[in-house]
Amino acid sequence: MTVYNAPVEDMKFVLNDVLQISKYSNLPGFSDASEDVVEAILEEGAKLASNVLHPLNQSGDKEGCTRHEDGSVTTPKGFKEAYNMFSEGGWQGLSFDPEYGGQGLPYILSVAINEMISSSNMAFGMYPGLAMGAALAIHAHGSDEQKQKYLPKMVSGEWGGTMNLTEPHCGTDLGLLRTKAVPQDDGSYKITGTKIFISAGEHDLTDNIIHLVLARIEGGPEGVKGISLFVVPKFHVNEDGSLGARNGVACGSIEEKMGIHGNSTCVMNYDDAVGYLIGEEHKGLRAMFTMMNEARLGVGLQGFAISEVAYQNGAAYANDRLQGRSLTGVAAPDKPADPIIVHPDVRRMLMDQRAFNEGGRAWMYWTALHADLHHKSEDEATRQKADDYMGLMTPILKAYLTEKGYAHATNAQQVLGGHGYIQEWGMEQFVRDARITMIYEGANGIQALDLVGRKLMKDGGRAWQAFFAEVDEFVADNEGNSDLKPYTDGLVAAKKDVEEATQWMAANAMQNFNNAGAGSMDYLHMFALLCLAHGWAQLAKAALDRKATGDGNSFYENKLITGKYFLERILPDTKSHLAKLKTGAESMMALPAEAF
Amino acid sequence: MTVYNAPVEDMKFVLNDVLQISKYSNLPGFSDASEDVVEAILEEGAKLASNVLHPLNQSGDKEGCTRHEDGSVTTPKGFKEAYNMFSEGGWQGLSFDPEYGGQGLPYILSVAINEMISSSNMAFGMYPGLAMGAALAIHAHGSDEQKQKYLPKMVSGEWGGTMNLTEPHCGTDLGLLRTKAVPQDDGSYKITGTKIFISAGEHDLTDNIIHLVLARIEGGPEGVKGISLFVVPKFHVNEDGSLGARNGVACGSIEEKMGIHGNSTCVMNYDDAVGYLIGEEHKGLRAMFTMMNEARLGVGLQGFAISEVAYQNGAAYANDRLQGRSLTGVAAPDKPADPIIVHPDVRRMLMDQRAFNEGGRAWMYWTALHADLHHKSEDEATRQKADDYMGLMTPILKAYLTEKGYAHATNAQQVLGGHGYIQEWGMEQFVRDARITMIYEGANGIQALDLVGRKLMKDGGRAWQAFFAEVDEFVADNEGNSDLKPYTDGLVAAKKDVEEATQWMAANAMQNFNNAGAGSMDYLHMFALLCLAHGWAQLAKAALDRKATGDGNSFYENKLITGKYFLERILPDTKSHLAKLKTGAESMMALPAEAF
């Protein structure tokens, strides 16, 4: 009953006008991504999302996944056919290394396609999403032999992939993990242990599943320093690439969850499963973080992707549902009541979502462009700066876009009133699906801690200093632009608040680390608002440029209005975050634990 | 797997120390409510909630209600036995008029018991809750004959009750309703139409169900001015009180919802059902509002009641789950990791919930006390002021406590990380159940509109002026109390912001009504924060008084810490709400409807 139309025009505007990706044609892959090619790819992706994936979203939620007695798992009706279309369309390898069968197009294009997939059917999207994460980790840390063995089939979509970190007694704190790896004479390891919450852990979409598993080599150091990463294929892979016998890994059960029912979240039992070390002994965490960082950006993307599809359905209902009359006079005299979009508080909810979705997209794609720069630029300074940005932005994007994505899915549901609470209308599924994004790949509190405890002061604060300088430069470059002034003023004001917060942190965190922890989430939100203000200033500039060249399309005027709404109605939150942050840890930590 | 322990100590503190209900022993019913009696009732209610109702909460959610082919509905296993215990315990009539079998105790006591019921099993609580709302409407607007006929069995719990407003094409805008009532020669009416979203519309808990139904008498005026209220019993009631034939009303289907699965939300078909007018012709809306206002307070109560039970389970997990080490040094050296309650961001979530729950309780009970004063005081000025307060506070309580209750249920779920997303842990149910409270009995946007469009300027603003004067008086009375100063300072600052917002509204709403609508939700939130600051100032004063008398119980110290947390970490939001409100309607309303 829900609909999804990929916002291709918005995507093109961000890629072509705001980020001007044609400027990067010196980077590998970018020269193939002309405006025409980008448009064609986005249009094809939009069709897949709207016509194939989205129609399976509600039915997939309702049916869920089924585990059979032999441990096999069936995905919801239609998922396999849809997956085949996805694979055969070459979508999995869109931006992957051509050496392993990928098309080598810019990563930023994959991000746009992933937005469509997550909006249209998040549970479905997790199957190829996890596989791609695993493929990237193998690509970054595997041996040549491992890459040749696994990547071509993973990139083609013939094989799936997973990441196995969490155990019943440890999620965040991986130092506690118990899964053990016993070295064998042939260089392989026997892996034994139980992993939980394994997304796409077992399913019927692919011929094989390549599990990446964190385990502790027998006799290795305790804590996180003794963790290694292993590749454990569901079916052994023969020398000629054909599939051999089943490995000692099986799905013990699937979780009954709040949402993403279309994805199989498995308890995975490893029982003397044969695994092969990826990268160095005891350095597994570093390798896993390659995958994790990729996954965290993907989760942030899910956050605003769900908000986008929820918004679309909320907006359609608001234009359709007749109830009450406009406060300023009858708007639809030919109807028994006005469409509820005339009511300011309905507008407020929709504009909140819209300002978030469009600003979030600009910010996310800007970050994705830096992933391309980091991996592909020939200039070391550019690579380093891009890497700095990725490190800094990853926790902020993940936590902010998911927390607000969930809030905005809830807002979109609210627009439907009572119908929003009824399953068949589909809005409550968006809320249930969005909810996991705040939790998995590192709960949002962990992201905030990563930001203030690690990313902020890394390399003496080089990352945020570079970002602040870029903001200053943008403001200076546009000083005479009076039309842009509200947006640059907002940007300057937000930056000032973040600077004050940063100084407060620097002055107070060392005497009591809890001051940093206590302010971490407020700080993350302030920083996110600054990034959105940066995104909106860029969107506004591009829209003004288009208007200046005589393009009278209302699209650009609407961008400017939505940006103004962001400045007026969302950005002021930096002030209250700052006020809260500066109160420190005292009242937060004062109660004894047993009082809770 | 979840637990619930009624916060009896907190409730007693609010009733006895903060509100000092013993001061009202001149009011009917209050003289029976000595501290001992109150404590005994709360303890008994706590047992019912923890031992009988809460164990059915998760199973009721999982099983849901079943509609059979004949239209009958079975509630989840155990609900009927629990309901019998509830009725036989006399809980339904706790504060009802003794003339109809009630115990006539203060309404405020019912509110405390209702909090326990909503915390322990919200879906269950809606059956007696809706029945009580219907009973109160009959009590207020029915004829003596109707009262004698229906109330004793409704008050004993033998019969249920419902309210039937919504139709497929109209929820908020009741002027559109189509259900028709055709007058019969015997003074009765034949009612025909379809009502949707009828909570507890059909079930197996009671021998009869007394439906209150809004319908339009044939030939009556259009719009809301032609709506009348009817009582439509499921089974006809004979002169001797025995049950007669089945009336022409039946459950057509039950809705599949996001949550509150234990409650049957029905489509009710009225087909020449015999109904009896309640109150005057065409004045049905007024009568229904009696029920609705009662229901709105009850829904606000559900909001923080769910937050309370979610908090309890989140806090227990935080003390139990070992993960990571404290930022300020190892807290539990004998364990492989520290309990996660050592982490500031976990504390932040729990303290946010706690400050909301405890402040919300003080505010809600304070409001409930005014319901008692409104109904029972012999002093007209007191009654009027209490009525003013009820009118003013109802939309604020409903919207704020439900929006934040949902947010805090989400926060409590977040504390559990991945386990929070798994059904068996029970946290996600709290979120799904809490979600409806923002929607039903008037979506929160309608509450905000009710506040700024109706309640604020009613009688020249008498209600808020009285409240502001009471705040000023409290501050003046405690001027020399330096320990209380942070709390009164917070109160003064919040009041100043609300005053500024009120002035802005007065100056800008008349030239453009959309300015009022655009700021309505921010205004509601600011006002709610002021009310919470008022509640916290009263809590702090009572705690300080206890400490001054040498009571060294940490309970009082913990209240002061939590109050300080509220001042530092929650109250600053008034500032950003004010900034947003003052930007007016322009950017919110500027986009053409078709741009959405």
Side-chain angles (χ1 to χ4, degrees):
Chain A
M1 224 164 147
T2 53
V3 293
Y4 173 66
N5 293 301
V8 172
E9 198 176 2
D10 277 86
M11 291 173 168
K12 279 163 47 188
F13 179 62
V14 173
L15 295 173
N16 298 327
D17 290 89
V18 179
L19 301 175
Q20 303 179 25
I21 61 169
S22 60
K23 286 196 305 192
Y24 302 92
S25 57
N26 59 318
L27 298 184
F30 276 68
S31 59
D32 299 328
S34 65
E35 278 203 24
D36 289 352
V37 170
V38 167
E39 177 160 358
I41 289 173
L42 293 179
E43 294 290 357
E44 281 306 305
K47 282 186 211 159
L48 181 79
S50 294
N51 304 338
V52 179
L53 303 183
H54 194 60
L56 300 174
N57 191 47
Q58 285 181 266
S59 58
D61 175 66
K62 194 155 189 162
E63 183 186 342
C65 295
T66 310
R67 178 186 175 277
H68 306 285
E69 267 186 40
D70 63 358
S72 66
V73 170
T74 309
T75 54
K77 190 156 175 269
F79 270 41
K80 194 165 168 53
E81 293 73 17
Y83 184 81
N84 290 343
M85 288 179 73
F86 171 86
S87 300
E88 285 157 17
W91 294 105
Q92 182 70 319
L94 193 70
S95 61
F96 208 87
D97 186 347
E99 195 178 334
Y100 304 99
Q103 297 183 57
L105 285 161
Y107 171 69
I108 194 171
L109 256 188
S110 291
V111 166
I113 297 298
N114 284 342
E115 181 193 324
M116 295 180 188
I117 294 171
S118 294
S119 284
S120 62
N121 196 327
M122 178 174 148
F124 174 90
M126 291 170 66
Y127 293 104
L130 269 295
M132 184 41 57
L136 287 170
I138 293 172
H139 191 261
H141 301 283
S143 65
D144 280 342
E145 189 202 331
Q146 287 169 334
K147 292 191 218 179
Q148 291 299 346
K149 191 167 191 173
Y150 299 113
L151 291 181
K153 300 249 175 176
M154 294 177 83
V155 170
S156 70
E158 287 165 271
W159 294 354
T162 69
M163 53 198 289
N164 291 242
L165 290 76
T166 305
E167 299 180 6
H169 62 288
C170 75
T172 301
D173 188 353
L174 289 170
L176 302 174
L177 77 77
R178 294 180 191 148
T179 297
K180 67 170 181 183
V182 181
Q184 306 296 305
D185 292 341
D186 65 354
S188 71
Y189 293 79
K190 288 269 176 90
I191 314 274
T192 301
T194 300
K195 297 287 184 177
I196 62 170
F197 303 158
I198 307 308
S199 298
E202 177 59 55
H203 57 76
D204 57 357
L205 301 183
T206 55
D207 299 333
N208 202 2
I209 301 175
I210 309 306
H211 302 290
L212 294 192
V213 185
L214 286 187
R216 198 180 289 286
I217 298 174
E218 234 180 9
E222 291 198 358
V224 292
K225 289 179 182 152
I227 297 175
S228 305
L229 181 65
F230 299 88
V231 57
V232 181
K234 174 179 165 184
F235 288 101
H236 289 289
V237 180
N238 298 323
E239 288 297 312
D240 64 357
S242 64
L243 295 184
R246 182 74 188 252
N247 203 347
V249 49
C251 166
S253 63
I254 52 180
E255 303 282 3
E256 294 187 38
K257 310 181 297 289
M258 184 182 195
I260 49 166
H261 294 151
N263 199 273
S264 56
T265 306
C266 299
V267 174
M268 297 301 292
N269 296 322
Y270 291 83
D271 187 8
D272 275 345
V274 179
Y276 307 93
L277 186 68
I278 300 250
E280 292 175 52
E281 274 188 9
H282 316 318
K283 300 275 161 100
L285 222 53
R286 213 176 52 187
M288 204 68 176
F289 264 108
T290 302
M291 192 158 162
M292 184 79 110
N293 276 329
E294 153 81 10
R296 284 179 175 175
L297 283 180
V299 173
L301 185 71
Q302 288 175 336
F304 90 84
I306 293 283
S307 174
E308 168 68 34
V309 67
Y311 162 79
Q312 289 186 14
N313 287 277
Y317 185 89
N319 262 315
D320 188 53
R321 174 75 170 178
L322 307 177
Q323 210 77 178
R325 290 295 186 187
S326 166
L327 295 173
T328 54
V330 172
D334 54 322
K335 292 178 180 159
D338 290 339
I340 61 172
I341 202 162
V342 302
H343 303 304
D345 198 65
V346 172
R347 285 279 181 138
R348 177 187 61 80
M349 294 188 281
L350 293 173
M351 288 298 292
D352 275 353
Q353 295 159 53
R354 194 176 168 120
F356 167 77
N357 296 341
E358 297 179 8
R361 179 175 299 113
W363 178 23
M364 172 59 83
Y365 289 18
W366 177 88
T367 307
L369 179 60
H370 286 98
D372 279 313
L373 289 168
H374 167 50
H375 289 297
K376 297 173 183 167
S377 175
E378 294 190 349
D379 175 50
E380 193 184 327
T382 302
R383 282 204 311 274
Q384 184 207 72
K385 186 177 169 190
D387 192 31
D388 284 353
Y389 277 1
M390 294 292 289
L392 177 66
M393 292 297 168
T394 298
I396 311 175
L397 276 166
K398 193 282 182 182
Y400 186 84
L401 293 183
T402 60
E403 181 175 326
K404 295 297 175 183
Y406 172 72
H408 290 310
T410 299
N411 267 336
Q413 178 189 24
Q414 187 73 11
V415 171
L416 274 78
H419 296 104
Y421 202 64
I422 306 297
Q423 289 173 6
E424 70 171 311
W425 285 80
M427 301 302 287
E428 58 92 41
Q429 183 191 345
F430 296 138
V431 176
R432 289 186 290 101
D433 286 355
R435 182 66 187 88
I436 189 59
T437 63
M438 293 160 70
I439 298 172
Y440 64 14
E441 306 308 341
N444 285 356
I446 293 296
Q447 306 298 329
L449 198 60
D450 179 41
L451 174 63
V452 303
R454 206 175 303 157
K455 300 299 175 59
L456 208 55
M457 295 324 289
K458 190 163 173 263
D459 304 312
R462 195 175 65 196
W464 65 261
Q465 285 157 10
F467 180 63
F468 281 18
E470 189 166 335
V471 167
D472 289 342
E473 196 182 316
F474 180 88
V475 173
D477 285 352
N478 293 283
E479 211 180 341
N481 189 338
S482 61
D483 290 333
L484 196 62
K485 195 163 185 304
Y487 307 90
T488 48
D489 282 355
L491 189 53
V492 169
K495 177 168 163 270
K496 190 167 159 288
D497 287 339
V498 176
E499 277 171 338
E500 191 176 334
T502 308
Q503 281 157 11
W504 189 93
M505 285 288 206
N508 293 279
M510 291 313 284
Q511 43 159 299
N512 179 359
F513 289 144
N514 278 342
N515 279 330
S520 60
M521 193 58 88
D522 284 306
Y523 187 81
L524 185 146
H525 275 253
M526 294 177 73
F527 213 116
L529 287 165
L530 171 61
C531 295
L532 284 174
H534 178 242
W536 268 112
Q538 293 182 301
L539 286 164
K541 183 177 163 62
L544 286 166
D545 285 351
R546 279 284 205 164
K547 275 183 71 179
T549 60
D551 194 329
N553 188 334
S554 62
F555 179 87
Y556 306 109
E557 184 58 30
N558 293 348
K559 276 282 169 292
L560 294 168
I561 293 169
T562 308
K564 188 131 179 293
Y565 181 89
F566 168 80
L567 297 172
E568 292 180 352
R569 293 266 171 184
I570 298 178
L571 196 56
D573 282 336
T574 56
K575 291 267 177 287
S576 48
H577 286 301
L578 179 60
K580 294 174 189 181
L581 178 146
K582 287 167 76 176
T583 65
E586 197 186 325
S587 70
M588 191 181 285
M589 303 305 288
L591 285 185
E594 60 273 18
F596 284 87
Chain B
M1 223 165 149
T2 54
V3 293
Y4 173 65
N5 293 300
V8 172
E9 197 177 4
D10 276 87
M11 292 174 168
K12 280 162 49 187
F13 178 63
V14 173
L15 295 172
N16 299 328
D17 291 90
V18 178
L19 301 174
Q20 303 179 25
I21 61 169
S22 60
K23 286 197 306 193
Y24 302 92
S25 57
N26 59 321
L27 298 183
F30 276 71
S31 59
D32 299 328
S34 65
E35 278 203 24
D36 288 353
V37 169
V38 167
E39 177 159 1
I41 289 172
L42 294 180
E43 294 290 357
E44 281 305 306
K47 282 184 210 160
L48 181 79
S50 293
N51 304 337
V52 179
L53 303 183
H54 194 60
L56 300 174
N57 191 48
Q58 285 180 267
S59 59
D61 175 67
K62 191 151 193 171
E63 183 185 341
C65 295
T66 311
R67 179 186 174 276
H68 306 285
E69 267 185 40
D70 63 357
S72 66
V73 171
T74 308
T75 53
K77 190 156 176 271
F79 270 41
K80 192 163 170 55
E81 293 72 17
Y83 184 80
N84 290 343
M85 287 180 74
F86 172 86
S87 299
E88 284 156 18
W91 294 105
Q92 182 71 317
L94 192 71
S95 62
F96 208 86
D97 187 348
E99 196 177 333
Y100 304 100
Q103 296 183 59
L105 284 161
Y107 171 68
I108 194 172
L109 257 187
S110 291
V111 166
I113 297 298
N114 284 342
E115 182 195 323
M116 295 181 188
I117 294 171
S118 295
S119 284
S120 62
N121 195 327
M122 177 174 148
F124 174 90
M126 292 170 66
Y127 293 104
L130 270 295
M132 184 42 55
L136 287 169
I138 293 172
H139 190 262
H141 301 284
S143 66
D144 280 344
E145 191 203 330
Q146 287 169 335
K147 291 191 219 179
Q148 292 298 345
K149 193 168 191 172
Y150 300 113
L151 291 182
K153 299 248 173 178
M154 293 177 83
V155 171
S156 70
E158 288 165 90
W159 295 355
T162 69
M163 53 199 291
N164 291 242
L165 290 77
T166 304
E167 299 180 6
H169 62 290
C170 76
T172 301
D173 188 353
L174 289 170
L176 302 174
L177 79 75
R178 294 180 190 148
T179 296
K180 67 171 182 186
V182 182
Q184 306 295 305
D185 293 342
D186 66 354
S188 70
Y189 294 78
K190 288 269 175 88
I191 315 276
T192 300
T194 299
K195 296 288 183 176
I196 63 169
F197 302 156
I198 308 308
S199 298
E202 177 62 53
H203 57 77
D204 56 357
L205 301 182
T206 56
D207 299 335
N208 202 2
I209 301 174
I210 310 305
H211 302 291
L212 293 192
V213 184
L214 286 186
R216 197 181 291 284
I217 296 174
E218 235 182 10
E222 289 196 358
V224 290
K225 289 180 180 150
I227 297 175
S228 305
L229 181 64
F230 299 90
V231 57
V232 181
K234 173 180 166 184
F235 288 101
H236 288 289
V237 180
N238 299 324
E239 288 296 314
D240 64 358
S242 63
L243 295 184
R246 182 72 188 254
N247 202 348
V249 50
C251 165
S253 62
I254 52 180
E255 303 282 3
E256 292 186 40
K257 310 182 297 289
M258 184 183 194
I260 51 167
H261 294 150
N263 200 275
S264 56
T265 305
C266 300
V267 173
M268 297 300 293
N269 296 321
Y270 291 84
D271 186 9
D272 276 346
V274 179
Y276 307 94
L277 187 68
I278 300 250
E280 293 175 54
E281 274 187 6
H282 314 320
K283 301 274 161 108
L285 222 51
R286 213 176 52 188
M288 205 67 178
F289 263 107
T290 303
M291 192 157 161
M292 185 78 110
N293 276 328
E294 153 81 11
R296 283 177 176 177
L297 284 180
V299 173
L301 185 70
Q302 288 175 336
F304 89 85
I306 294 283
S307 174
E308 168 69 35
V309 66
Y311 161 79
Q312 290 186 14
N313 287 279
Y317 186 89
N319 263 313
D320 189 52
R321 174 77 170 177
L322 307 177
Q323 208 78 180
R325 291 294 186 186
S326 166
L327 295 173
T328 53
V330 172
D334 54 323
K335 292 177 179 161
D338 290 339
I340 60 171
I341 201 160
V342 302
H343 302 306
D345 198 65
V346 171
R347 285 279 181 138
R348 177 187 61 81
M349 294 189 280
L350 293 172
M351 288 298 292
D352 275 355
Q353 295 160 52
R354 193 175 168 122
F356 167 77
N357 296 342
E358 296 180 10
R361 179 175 298 115
W363 177 23
M364 171 59 82
Y365 288 19
W366 177 89
T367 308
L369 179 61
H370 286 98
D372 279 312
L373 289 167
H374 168 49
H375 289 298
K376 297 174 181 166
S377 175
E378 294 191 346
D379 175 50
E380 195 184 323
T382 302
R383 285 204 307 275
Q384 185 207 73
K385 186 177 168 189
D387 192 30
D388 284 353
Y389 277 0
M390 295 292 290
L392 177 66
M393 293 296 168
T394 298
I396 310 175
L397 275 166
K398 194 279 182 185
Y400 185 84
L401 293 183
T402 59
E403 183 175 324
K404 294 296 176 184
Y406 172 73
H408 290 311
T410 299
N411 267 334
Q413 178 189 21
Q414 187 74 11
V415 172
L416 273 80
H419 296 104
Y421 202 64
I422 306 298
Q423 289 173 8
E424 70 171 313
W425 285 80
M427 301 303 287
E428 58 92 40
Q429 183 191 345
F430 296 137
V431 175
R432 288 186 290 102
D433 286 355
R435 183 65 188 89
I436 189 59
T437 63
M438 293 161 70
I439 298 172
Y440 64 14
E441 306 308 340
N444 285 357
I446 293 296
Q447 306 296 328
L449 197 60
D450 180 42
L451 174 64
V452 303
R454 206 176 301 158
K455 300 299 175 58
L456 207 55
M457 295 324 289
K458 189 164 175 259
D459 304 313
R462 197 174 63 196
W464 65 262
Q465 285 156 11
F467 179 64
F468 281 19
E470 190 166 334
V471 167
D472 289 341
E473 199 183 313
F474 180 87
V475 172
D477 285 352
N478 293 284
E479 211 181 342
N481 188 338
S482 61
D483 290 333
L484 197 62
K485 195 161 183 305
Y487 307 90
T488 49
D489 281 354
L491 189 53
V492 168
K495 177 167 163 271
K496 190 168 158 287
D497 287 339
V498 176
E499 277 171 339
E500 191 176 333
T502 308
Q503 281 157 12
W504 189 93
M505 285 287 206
N508 293 279
M510 292 312 284
Q511 43 159 301
N512 179 359
F513 289 143
N514 278 342
N515 280 328
S520 61
M521 193 58 87
D522 284 305
Y523 187 80
L524 185 145
H525 275 253
M526 295 178 73
F527 213 116
L529 287 164
L530 171 62
C531 295
L532 284 175
H534 179 242
W536 268 113
Q538 293 182 301
L539 286 163
K541 182 177 163 62
L544 287 166
D545 287 351
R546 280 284 205 162
K547 275 184 72 179
T549 60
D551 195 329
N553 188 335
S554 62
F555 179 88
Y556 306 109
E557 184 56 32
N558 293 348
K559 277 280 168 295
L560 295 168
I561 293 169
T562 309
K564 186 127 181 294
Y565 182 88
F566 168 80
L567 297 172
E568 292 180 350
R569 292 268 171 182
I570 299 179
L571 196 56
D573 283 336
T574 56
K575 292 268 177 285
S576 49
H577 287 300
L578 180 60
K580 294 174 189 180
L581 179 146
K582 288 167 78 175
T583 64
E586 197 185 324
S587 70
M588 191 182 286
M589 303 305 287
L591 285 186
E594 61 272 18
F596 285 87

